[in-house]
Amino acid sequence: MTVAAVVSAVVALLALWAPALSRAAGATPLRAIMMVTTALIAFTAGVLPQLTSVLPAESLRGVLYDGAVLLLVSLLLVFEALLLLAAAPRRPAPASASAPEPASAVAGMRAALFLFMLAEELSRSFLPLYTRELYTPVSGLSETLMMGLPIGLFMALVAVFTPFAGAWADRFGSRRTLLLGTLPAVAGFAGTALAGSLAELLLWRSACALGYAVMFIGAQGFIARNTPAGQRARGMAQFVAAVVVAGLCGAPLGGILADLLGYRATFAASALLALAAAVAAAVLLPADRGERVQNRGFRLGDVGGLLANPRFVALLLFSSVPTKLMLTGYLFYLVPVSLHAAGETPAGIGRLMMTYGLIIVLLGPWVSRLADRTGRHALFAGIGGLVGGAGTLAILQDAGVPGILAGIAALGVAHALNNATQLALVPEVCRTECARMGESSVFAVYRLLERGGSVAGPLLAAAVADRFGTQAALVTLGGLGMLCGTAFCAVFLLAPAAASASRTAGEGAAP
């Protein structure tokens, strides 16, 4: 403890006596993160001998694991704050006060989105376990099935609310829509913390789903309107980064809070984070200027038009839907339940689930660049499906924590390979539909239909687990992933030339 106190005192004295040195050390985000990391490692080294003499080995291991997770989460939070500060307008002129720089506006949106997504991700490692605590016997519905119902209902309502959220953002402006739309989420998280029955839990999670749909679509629309055409991809990269980093931080941080404070207190923390997101949107985002965007909008007829395209259906059924199904059924439902049965605490579950986000953050950008450079989007998507299915079958070799962890890591690799490449394939296989309906409408239908996998995932996993056991459910989802990956490769990799020739002939015959 003395060493830790000395380290802290030295850092404080250097900041007072040599402020220029501190400013130089934190001049860039990387330097600032390295400075914080060095200080925390030095502090840990100082207190470790005292902890070794007080705590048993198992408890000390848990403290070190939690400390490492908190260190990583703290660094990511520092990085998000530095990005927001770096994008602040340098010299705001009175005439431009109502129109901030695009970089500043997008950074403000990223901050609000990050806080909201972090609120949702806090419960990722224990939501099925919290549901089990509220379960009371219902005729015809087992405990296992009911544990998956809140996840399935949430995903279904997000799909239902998404078209309406897009229309509201177009009509009333993104900032106004976000401010009003996040309020149901704040109430939903607070109500979930106070829920006394499973029916109440489902009601309040429905409110969270409304807020999630509004924030997700509103943020996308805001970035599209506040970035120049030449910077649109970089703006959307900020959107994706905020969601991924929030997922990376949320599960382990929520697990630690649940261990220390309980499930209900963690949901209360989610409510505060959602409220902070609303405040961030109010303070950091520019006021809507009254312009109304007239979009063609979503039509039910668009669904039938796209489902007549066999390659679109193949992409949907053999890649996109299985990806969402594995995410919600395997990672969100079966992993927490299985790890809890193996003796892991919510904090331990969160640490293991963090592997998924880490792999995507490290591997995803490299895969996207390589796929764009080679133009082989279908190849990466096909490999991703096969890796995800095969990796989750590791449970057959080891039914304990190592087998589940191998499945989590494989799923991270798979989704790093196919998340972005799936999106790139949509306009490739729907050229005629994009020309006729517009690319936005095509993506709206695609997003709506792929969310069917998100809805079906936890319900299918719960149904199989209820009848045959949790391990059988893990194997079933892995086998389904392998079958879908194989079918996708057969359609897009083994016979690409025939499909391309058929499409070219169809386009040539068109008037």
Side-chain angles (χ1 to χ4, degrees):
M1 192 66 69
T2 303
V3 175
V6 170
V7 170
S8 302
V10 169
V11 172
L13 290 174
L14 284 175
L16 290 174
W17 290 345
L21 182 62
S22 298
R23 283 195 297 270
T28 65
L30 181 60
R31 288 185 188 178
I33 289 177
M34 290 176 63
M35 182 172 62
V36 174
T37 303
T38 302
L40 289 174
I41 290 175
F43 182 84
T44 303
V47 300
L48 189 58
Q50 285 72 25
L51 292 176
T52 304
S53 62
V54 173
L55 297 176
E58 187 66 28
S59 299
L60 179 61
R61 192 178 300 111
V63 169
L64 292 178
Y65 283 155
D66 287 345
V69 168
L70 289 175
L71 173 61
L72 179 58
V73 170
S74 298
L75 295 178
L76 291 171
L77 292 176
V78 168
F79 186 68
E80 290 294 322
L82 288 171
L83 287 177
L84 179 61
L85 293 175
R90 292 289 186 265
R91 296 171 184 167
S96 63
S98 61
E101 297 176 2
S104 177
V106 172
M109 182 70 256
R110 172 170 174 160
L113 179 65
F114 172 77
L115 289 170
F116 185 89
M117 292 299 172
L118 183 62
E120 178 59 40
E121 292 291 336
L122 284 186
S123 60
R124 191 65 69 204
S125 64
F126 63 82
L127 180 58
L129 309 179
Y130 181 60
T131 304
R132 180 161 58 187
E133 287 191 356
L134 298 176
Y135 171 76
T136 53
V138 178
S139 178
L141 295 174
S142 67
E143 178 185 78
T144 306
L145 287 171
M146 295 303 286
M147 286 168 61
L149 186 58
I151 302 174
L153 177 65
F154 180 91
M155 294 299 175
L157 291 178
V158 168
V160 170
F161 290 141
T162 293
F164 298 101
W168 295 337
D170 289 340
R171 182 175 180 182
F172 301 112
S174 298
R175 181 176 181 271
R176 188 180 296 114
T177 301
L178 290 173
L179 290 176
L180 295 177
T182 51
L183 296 181
V186 175
F189 287 123
T192 302
L194 299 173
S197 67
L198 189 55
E200 293 180 21
L201 173 64
L202 295 175
L203 173 65
W204 292 118
R205 289 300 292 164
S206 301
C208 292
L210 174 59
Y212 185 95
V214 169
M215 174 59 79
F216 199 88
I217 296 300
Q220 280 187 334
F222 178 90
I223 291 173
R225 295 188 187 102
N226 286 271
T227 52
Q231 300 178 15
R232 193 68 46 78
R234 278 176 282 178
M236 287 302 173
Q238 298 244 33
F239 171 87
V240 173
V243 175
V244 171
V245 174
L248 186 59
C249 296
L253 186 59
I256 292 173
L257 289 176
D259 268 0
L260 295 176
L261 305 175
Y263 299 149
R264 295 181 183 274
T266 306
F267 279 112
S270 292
L272 293 176
L273 282 172
L275 183 61
V279 173
V283 173
L284 300 175
L285 302 187
D288 297 314
R289 299 175 196 144
E291 70 272 18
R292 294 188 178 186
V293 179
Q294 298 296 328
N295 283 335
R296 176 178 175 274
F298 173 78
R299 300 175 184 174
L300 287 177
D302 296 341
V303 178
L306 281 169
L307 291 180
N309 182 338
R311 286 175 68 77
F312 175 80
V313 174
L315 170 64
L316 198 68
L317 292 182
F318 300 145
S319 186
S320 303
V321 169
T323 295
K324 296 298 182 185
L325 188 145
M326 294 293 287
L327 179 67
T328 59
Y330 183 90
L331 187 66
F332 292 175
Y333 177 75
L334 288 176
V335 164
V337 172
S338 302
L339 290 176
H340 179 73
E344 290 288 340
T345 65
I349 296 171
R351 288 194 299 265
L352 293 171
M353 291 179 71
M354 194 178 190
T355 307
Y356 171 84
L358 274 174
I359 291 174
I360 290 182
V361 167
L362 296 175
L363 192 60
W366 176 80
V367 169
S368 299
R369 287 194 298 269
L370 185 59
D372 284 340
R373 190 180 306 127
T374 61
R376 303 296 302 275
H377 298 107
L379 175 64
F380 285 92
I383 293 174
L386 294 174
V387 168
T392 51
L393 290 177
I395 192 72
L396 293 173
Q397 298 296 321
D398 191 324
V401 173
I404 299 173
L405 178 59
I408 296 173
L411 206 61
V413 174
H415 292 180
L417 287 167
N418 61 20
N419 274 341
T421 51
Q422 287 168 356
L423 293 176
L425 280 170
V426 173
E428 289 183 21
V429 302
C430 300
R431 293 176 184 174
T432 303
E433 291 81 4
C434 287
R436 185 179 74 249
M437 298 161 44
E439 203 167 283
S440 297
S441 295
V442 170
F443 272 104
V445 175
Y446 170 78
R447 285 297 196 188
L448 177 64
L449 295 177
E450 76 162 351
R451 287 192 186 278
S454 300
V455 177
L459 301 180
L460 175 63
V464 177
D466 181 52
R467 188 174 181 88
F468 302 106
T470 303
Q471 183 172 358
L474 293 167
V475 173
T476 299
L477 289 190
L480 182 61
M482 281 286 293
L483 288 174
C484 290
T486 302
F488 178 87
C489 291
V491 173
F492 283 87
L493 299 180
L494 298 183
S500 177
S502 175
R503 184 174 63 246
T504 302
E507 291 173 353

